[in-house]
């Protein structure tokens, strides 16, 4: 998927984004870094997901990359 092209989105982290509802780069691109962290932190707290939210820098990288990556997967 396009999400795997964003740095740091491997295995557990990719599953976290997907299960928390940020399952496309368009959805990620619509958020800023703070919103991404809040969505993921809230999801972890509500569900007991075995993972940690991204750092502020990681969330910023995700938001930035999602805005500029060419979409390769069509929905």
């Amino acid at each position: 998927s396009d999400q795997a092209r964003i740095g740091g989105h491997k295995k557990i982290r990719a599953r976290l984004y997907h299960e928390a509802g940020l399952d496309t780069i368009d959805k990620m691109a619509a958020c800023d870094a703070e919103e991404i962290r809040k969505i993921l932190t809230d999801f972890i707290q509500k569900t007991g997901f075995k993972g940690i939210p991204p750092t502020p820098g990681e969330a910023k990288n995700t938001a930035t990359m999602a805005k500029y990556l060419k979409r390769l997967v069509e929905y």
Side-chain angles (χ1 to χ4, degrees):
S1 84
D2 283 330
Q3 182 188 25
R5 296 171 44 227
I6 296 177
H9 284 236
K10 308 293 182 232
K11 294 183 183 181
I12 293 173
R13 185 58 57 84
R15 199 175 92 231
L16 170 60
Y17 275 80
H18 185 81
E19 290 184 18
L22 295 173
D23 53 354
T24 68
I25 56 174
D26 288 330
K27 289 179 184 177
M28 293 176 208
C31 299
D32 64 21
E34 288 181 35
E35 187 175 5
I36 288 173
R37 280 184 44 84
K38 181 173 180 5
I39 290 168
L40 299 178
T41 299
D42 290 350
F43 177 79
I44 290 168
Q45 289 174 349
K46 281 192 236 181
T47 65
F49 184 89
K50 301 289 186 213
I52 59 172
T55 65
E58 291 168 338
K60 181 178 180 183
N61 181 61
T62 295
T64 301
M65 296 240 358
K67 286 175 179 51
Y68 295 103
L69 276 176
K70 180 179 178 184
R71 278 48 171 175
L72 300 177
V73 176
E74 294 183 23
Y75 299 95

